[in-house]
Amino acid sequence: MPQALENPTAADPKLDRGILRAVKIQKSYKMGDQIQPVLKEVNLVVQAGEFVAIEGRSGSGKSTLLHILGALDTPNNGSIEYQGEDIARLSGAARSRLRNTQFGFVFQFYHLLPEMNVTENTLLGPMIEHSWFAFRSRKAELRERAIGVLKELGMDHRLRHRPSQLSGGERQRVAIARALMNSPKVLLADEPTGNLDAETGSQIMTVLEKLHREQGQTIVMVTHDRALARQADRVLVIKDGRLDRAGAQT
Amino acid sequence: MYKTVLILKYLLKRRIAWVSLAAVVLCTTMVLVVISVMGGWLTMFKQSFHGLTGDIIVKNYSLTGFPYYQEMIDRIEKVDGVAAAVPEVETFGLFNIGSVPTAEVDVIGVPIDKIGQVNAFPSSLHRQYQLPEEMLKDPTLPADLRKQMEEQMKGPPSFALLDRCSVALASLPGDVRLANLPKAVAKRFWFDAAAGKLVFKGVMSSDEQTLLRGLSQDSAFKSDIDRLYNISNGGQVVDYQAEFPRSKQDVTKWPGLIAGLGVLYIHRDRNGEWISPLGSRMPVPGDPGLYGTPATLTVLGFHPGQSSIDPNNKSERNYWIVDDSRTQIWQYDNHYVYVPFEQLQSDLGMAAQPATLDTGEKITLPARTTEIHIRMKPEFSSDEALAAVKPKIEKIVNEVMREKEGDDVADSSRPDVETWLESQAMWINAIENEKLLTVLLFAIISVVAIFLIFCVFYMIVVEKTKDIGTIKSVGATSAGVAGIFLGYGLVLGVTGALLAMLASYGIVHNINELHALMGKWLGVQIWNPEVYLFDKIPNTMSTQDLIVIPSIAVLASVLGALLPAIRAARMNPVEALRWE
């Protein structure tokens, strides 16, 4: 399994910089007159093909860290490097493109668009990536791929259904399909089973594990559930705004 | 691609947006209808008034008019660009048809054979031009009648009575045998089945009358033949003679008179039906019995060579009504009658006449008129060209007056020169201001649509906060998110504008029928011809308005969506995803 490094500043420079690297990340929120620090100094290196779980209690800042890692949010201090490039310095449009082509998000509450059916939700990434003409010219190919991804996730019988017509587990499978549609280098999962019953949650975890195991998908998952976290290659714990190693799982 | 898909999805599934769509449609339709009616009114007003006047008018506001008009006309017609110049006499009179109450009218003396050279008066004549035009549209019209109609439309108008008379017939009696008629009479007498009329061409002699009466034993048929006989040029019109005991004249020599339709008390009711408050005695338009009806016109003349009315110079003259004028300008159709120029000039004491000066010298007082109408050639008829020609006409008028009357000619007797626009400036400016004000008021009201779109879109953006976070997390840019809502506003605006164009087209083109229905069902009459001058509401739309107003509606819709779009674009995706 790839090497893990939680403190890159202190590391040997020869060490691999990973696909995703956070250096001295700080993030705080203003709550009225007070400034509430959430991330105090977080360092993290995620290797390509690694499955990293970040465990922490509610409000510990794990989702914030995930959003920063996925270029959805920016840190107050520190840098985020994706394949060696500091994404905090990129323009908004470049960060959007990065989210569209390199990262895939899976959220606790699925966040599917209610007006779109399962296929359309899955195709949202390519729809954003391509112009109207480019999409139309590749529509058949993209649709075929979307159906393929949905089939792998066992959702090919629900192609025309709306999110409101699906169960929680099915919605999350569609959300995973949407995240995988553009073949992301890193899949970022924020409490992917947090809104599901134990059995469905377990099924979703099986899906993620399978992706990691069979396709070498890099996954960063945050969860408050220690048992789920243990299914990852490496588990980190976020506490008091800092990231500590909890031990690699093999 | 996602913008197009989301715009279409939102358009079809977020029904609250249909409220905005309805607002755009209603406001745009409202402005289009108002601007079309007001603009059409102004255009009709200008065209109609211009149609009844020359491009330039020489006129004296005194009823006694001005002299030496023929000298002026001779010189004016030599001015570069002038096509023709024709005099008109205008005065006031009392009009009477049989036992019908007397009405006050404006009387215009027109040289009928020339008037078409300076204005479109002939085209307002129902019998001589409008009716033939209508009849020529009938493919079953007999060939000889068609030829006759075409000839009539080519020629100048006339104050002569009909050479072709017809009377309405409820039905042709079964015993009529037209085949029994001698060929010469049969060629001139026929039953127009389509129009339900008996028609006779030319002058009917008493022998022919007897022959035709003998075709049937039906008394109503015989009565119709008598009526045909009476209204033909050769008829003795004994009954009418009895109604005019004062007349010692031979009725066949009475001059012709053209009356505005409303002067004959005939008008449409709220349901669009022709009615006559005078009852069945008065025929309705289209019934040739209208023509050939005798009428009396009384005018007051002037002391020869003076500007005061001569109470002893009252002229009460009998006329035949030979046609009715339908200018569609209420003011003209309800107040004007037209008689031969020389006749009116003579009755008013304005014709050339001998006089004796205090010195005993015998002179001839020059003929007078009240107006000269001048028509310019098409290439000289623009407003700028008219303004350039006007001083030349003024110069001619002043020269003639000075040459004939000397330098001390009184200003009051010197005629003024006006372009047709100046002549009607009071009316035209008032309507232009009214149009501007009305359109402005409706446009201000329409701003409500922008606020409505803003409110609805703001609601949608708030409602869609999580979705905005989602699409941003999948890679949509801020500009892309703004594009969704701006595009949404654009699509609403374009859809609303297109629907409004269709709706306003339907309303404007059927506005008179809708107005009639409103009158029938609700008892409401908004368009009062006495106020608006025209008996019909304008029902045409300008291409420019059809392009400009919907474009403004589309812009307004995008403007209404702008702030919500900016809010959506600026939304932090993390905050949006956490939105509760």
Side-chain angles (χ1 to χ4, degrees):
Chain A
M1 290 304 290
Q3 285 289 315
L5 184 68
E6 282 76 48
N7 192 352
T9 51
D12 184 338
K14 289 178 186 171
L15 281 175
D16 189 350
R17 294 170 77 90
I19 189 169
L20 199 57
R21 182 169 179 253
V23 182
K24 292 187 177 178
I25 295 297
Q26 291 180 358
K27 182 76 178 176
S28 53
Y29 291 108
K30 203 173 176 187
M31 312 271 285
D33 293 338
Q34 289 191 326
I35 291 175
Q36 183 72 41
V38 179
L39 301 176
K40 288 175 181 165
E41 188 171 299
V42 172
N43 298 297
L44 171 68
V45 173
V46 179
Q47 301 296 339
E50 190 181 15
F51 186 171
V52 179
I54 300 170
E55 185 197 329
R57 287 182 301 177
S58 289
S60 60
K62 54 189 188 298
S63 291
T64 302
L65 177 59
L66 193 80
H67 292 150
I68 290 172
L69 289 173
L72 206 53
D73 204 354
T74 49
N76 299 123
N77 276 307
S79 66
I80 298 289
E81 289 176 13
Y82 171 71
Q83 292 185 332
E85 189 173 12
D86 188 354
I87 59 176
R89 291 186 181 180
L90 294 176
S91 68
R95 280 150 39 89
S96 293
R97 178 146 188 83
L98 205 63
R99 289 198 294 273
N100 183 239
T101 58
Q102 306 296 314
F103 299 143
F105 282 94
V106 178
F107 299 103
Q108 179 180 357
F109 296 104
Y110 335 120
H111 293 318
L112 299 176
L113 299 185
E115 286 84 6
M116 290 182 166
N117 64 27
V118 166
T119 313
E120 289 165 337
N121 263 295
T122 309
L123 283 166
L124 184 60
M127 281 185 196
I128 291 172
E129 185 184 4
H130 297 98
S131 68
W132 192 85
F133 290 106
F135 186 87
R136 294 296 299 181
S137 64
R138 292 187 57 196
K139 190 179 175 185
E141 172 204 334
L142 290 167
R143 190 177 154 75
E144 198 179 323
R145 172 164 163 70
I147 293 170
V149 173
L150 286 165
K151 193 174 182 182
E152 278 182 37
L153 293 165
M155 285 301 295
D156 53 329
H157 62 300
R158 298 282 205 180
L159 299 180
R160 289 182 172 276
H161 286 66
R162 295 260 179 74
S164 59
Q165 297 168 310
L166 302 176
S167 68
E170 286 174 324
R171 290 183 202 186
Q172 196 60 297
R173 283 167 196 265
V174 177
I176 293 171
R178 179 181 68 193
L180 294 176
M181 190 57 206
N182 273 357
S183 306
K185 294 283 190 296
V186 182
L187 186 67
L188 300 152
D190 186 0
E191 300 272 17
T193 62
N195 207 34
L196 303 172
D197 59 60
E199 190 185 339
T200 315
S202 170
Q203 288 170 359
I204 294 297
M205 279 310 295
T206 307
V207 168
L208 294 180
E209 273 187 298
K210 194 177 165 193
L211 277 171
H212 169 57
R213 194 174 58 247
E214 293 180 2
Q215 297 173 24
Q217 177 69 54
T218 309
I219 300 174
V220 179
M221 178 182 77
V222 300
T223 180
H224 66 279
D225 188 332
R226 185 161 292 174
L228 285 181
R230 282 189 192 131
Q231 295 180 39
D233 297 337
R234 180 160 58 112
V235 180
L236 304 172
V237 177
I238 191 161
K239 193 176 178 187
D240 297 330
R242 294 178 199 281
L243 204 58
D244 291 321
R245 184 184 181 122
Q249 310 296 309
T250 54
Chain B
M1 176 69 188
Y2 71 108
K3 284 177 270 195
T4 315
V5 172
L6 281 174
I7 286 166
L8 290 176
K9 296 274 181 193
Y10 286 170
L11 192 68
L12 296 174
K13 303 219 158 71
R14 310 312 304 174
R15 295 198 179 161
I16 185 76
W18 294 4
V19 175
S20 311
L21 186 67
V24 174
V25 174
L26 285 176
C27 290
T28 312
T29 304
M30 188 169 67
V31 174
L32 270 173
V33 170
V34 168
I35 207 167
S36 295
V37 170
M38 295 298 288
W41 183 34
L42 184 61
T43 308
M44 270 170 65
F45 191 88
K46 283 181 174 178
Q47 283 174 347
S48 299
F49 268 93
H50 191 192
L52 292 173
T53 67
D55 293 320
I56 295 177
I57 304 127
V58 180
K59 69 193 290 186
N60 188 321
Y61 287 95
S62 159
L63 285 176
T64 53
F66 55 92
Y68 315 115
Y69 64 88
Q70 195 52 53
E71 287 86 341
M72 291 176 190
I73 287 171
D74 292 343
R75 293 191 199 182
I76 287 169
E77 284 187 330
K78 287 176 187 153
V79 172
D80 196 23
V82 171
V86 172
E88 271 188 14
V89 178
E90 185 166 350
T91 190
F92 298 98
L94 299 173
F95 185 68
N96 178 260
I97 314 170
S99 57
V100 172
T102 304
E104 55 170 335
V105 288
D106 286 63
V107 187
I108 298 187
V110 287
I112 196 78
D113 53 334
K114 292 181 187 163
I115 196 70
Q117 296 171 14
V118 292
N119 64 29
F121 173 72
S123 62
S124 77
L125 301 181
H126 184 68
R127 173 176 73 81
Q128 300 181 55
Y129 294 97
Q130 293 176 352
L131 207 55
E133 192 177 353
E134 196 60 37
M135 287 172 76
L136 285 171
K137 290 177 187 165
D138 178 7
T140 64
L141 191 71
D144 60 335
L145 191 55
R146 176 175 292 276
K147 195 177 169 192
Q148 183 193 332
M149 294 291 104
E150 284 169 352
E151 288 299 318
Q152 183 171 325
M153 288 192 68
K154 277 184 206 161
S158 141
F159 276 117
L161 262 175
L162 310 172
D163 71 339
R164 185 184 58 78
C165 312
S166 64
V167 294
L169 188 72
S171 64
L172 194 66
D175 59 346
V176 173
R177 295 286 178 271
L178 294 175
N180 298 339
L181 281 175
K183 266 192 177 176
V185 182
K187 271 179 75 176
R188 297 198 292 140
F189 177 76
W190 67 89
F191 172 62
D192 182 349
K197 285 174 183 169
L198 282 178
V199 185
F200 191 85
K201 182 174 180 291
V203 177
M204 189 189 294
S205 68
S206 55
D207 289 347
E208 286 168 332
Q209 182 195 15
T210 310
L211 194 65
L212 293 170
R213 278 175 66 95
L215 286 176
S216 169
Q217 296 306 309
D218 185 272
S219 60
F221 179 79
K222 286 179 191 295
S223 153
D224 287 332
I225 296 297
D226 292 345
R227 200 162 167 220
L228 263 178
Y229 174 71
N230 285 340
I231 64 174
S232 82
N233 285 346
Q236 292 303 303
V237 206
V238 178
D239 292 344
Y240 294 144
Q241 186 85 333
E243 287 179 11
F244 288 83
R246 287 187 295 267
S247 173
K248 302 288 183 235
Q249 303 170 37
D250 175 358
V251 294
T252 58
K253 293 200 169 81
W254 289 351
L257 175 145
I258 296 164
L261 188 66
V263 176
L264 302 175
Y265 297 94
I266 300 163
H267 61 277
R268 289 180 193 271
D269 65 6
R270 283 176 174 167
N271 303 328
E273 302 292 334
W274 287 106
I275 56 165
S276 165
L278 303 178
S280 59
R281 193 189 178 292
M282 179 59 95
V284 296
D287 182 345
L290 173 71
Y291 313 121
T293 304
T296 309
L297 181 67
T298 307
V299 294
L300 282 178
F302 308 98
H303 287 291
Q306 295 179 26
S307 57
S308 56
I309 287 172
D310 178 0
N312 298 318
N313 193 7
K314 184 180 82 169
S315 163
E316 188 180 81
R317 184 173 294 281
N318 293 321
Y319 290 87
W320 289 119
I321 297 174
V322 298
D323 210 337
D324 67 299
S325 166
R326 302 179 188 190
T327 63
Q328 296 192 325
I329 300 180
W330 188 89
Q331 187 184 343
Y332 277 78
D333 288 351
N334 283 273
H335 292 117
Y336 279 71
V337 296
Y338 308 85
V339 296
F341 177 78
E342 286 83 5
Q343 189 68 68
L344 184 60
Q345 197 182 34
S346 165
D347 289 347
L348 291 174
M350 292 169 76
Q353 52 193 294
T356 308
L357 295 177
D358 294 343
T359 58
E361 185 189 349
K362 291 192 183 303
I363 57 160
T364 300
L365 290 173
R368 303 171 77 88
T369 192
T370 55
E371 294 174 9
I372 299 171
H373 289 254
I374 302 160
R375 173 65 79 201
M376 302 301 295
K377 290 173 185 166
E379 61 270 31
F380 290 89
S381 60
S382 67
D383 292 348
E384 296 75 21
L386 294 185
V389 171
K390 185 183 156 187
K392 295 178 185 170
I393 309 289
E394 280 174 330
K395 193 178 168 199
I396 290 170
V397 168
N398 290 334
E399 273 174 8
V400 170
M401 292 302 285
R402 202 163 39 242
E403 285 170 19
K404 298 288 183 182
E405 305 246 316
D407 288 337
D408 56 347
V409 57
D411 282 346
S412 58
S413 60
R414 198 194 305 270
D416 294 322
V417 180
E418 292 175 341
T419 65
W420 72 273
L421 267 172
E422 288 168 342
S423 171
Q424 308 296 343
M426 188 181 77
W427 293 95
I428 290 170
N429 289 346
I431 294 173
E432 275 178 346
N433 288 339
E434 201 172 325
K435 179 191 171 190
L436 185 70
L437 195 67
T438 314
V439 172
L440 202 67
L441 282 173
F442 277 91
I444 291 169
I445 294 168
S446 300
V447 171
V448 171
I450 300 178
F451 285 102
L452 199 62
I453 290 170
F454 168 78
C455 291
V456 169
F457 271 51
Y458 201 88
M459 267 172 57
I460 291 174
V461 167
V462 170
E463 191 191 341
K464 290 280 153 201
T465 298
K466 273 196 176 174
D467 290 358
I468 291 165
T470 302
I471 56 175
K472 279 195 164 183
S473 76
V474 184
T477 59
S478 296
V481 171
I484 294 170
F485 291 95
L486 287 177
Y488 192 12
L490 182 73
V491 170
L492 272 187
V494 170
T495 312
L498 287 174
L499 289 174
M501 282 164 84
L502 281 176
S504 55
Y505 186 87
I507 291 172
V508 171
H509 282 263
N510 297 294
I511 197 156
N512 287 293
E513 290 76 7
L514 291 171
H515 188 250
L517 282 178
M518 276 177 72
K520 199 171 181 178
W521 291 341
L522 308 172
V524 180
Q525 189 185 25
I526 299 168
W527 186 268
N528 182 352
E530 289 184 36
V531 176
Y532 296 103
L533 303 180
F534 296 99
D535 58 359
K536 288 269 180 69
I537 307 172
N539 62 350
T540 53
M541 299 183 88
S542 116
T543 316
Q544 189 188 345
D545 292 340
L546 265 178
I547 293 169
V548 172
I549 305 296
S551 304
I552 291 173
V554 173
L555 266 178
S557 304
V558 176
L559 195 69
L562 186 63
L563 284 179
I566 291 172
R567 185 182 190 272
R570 286 185 175 170
M571 213 170 264
N572 181 310
V574 174
E575 286 173 20
L577 287 168
R578 286 177 178 159
W579 178 267
E580 293 291 341

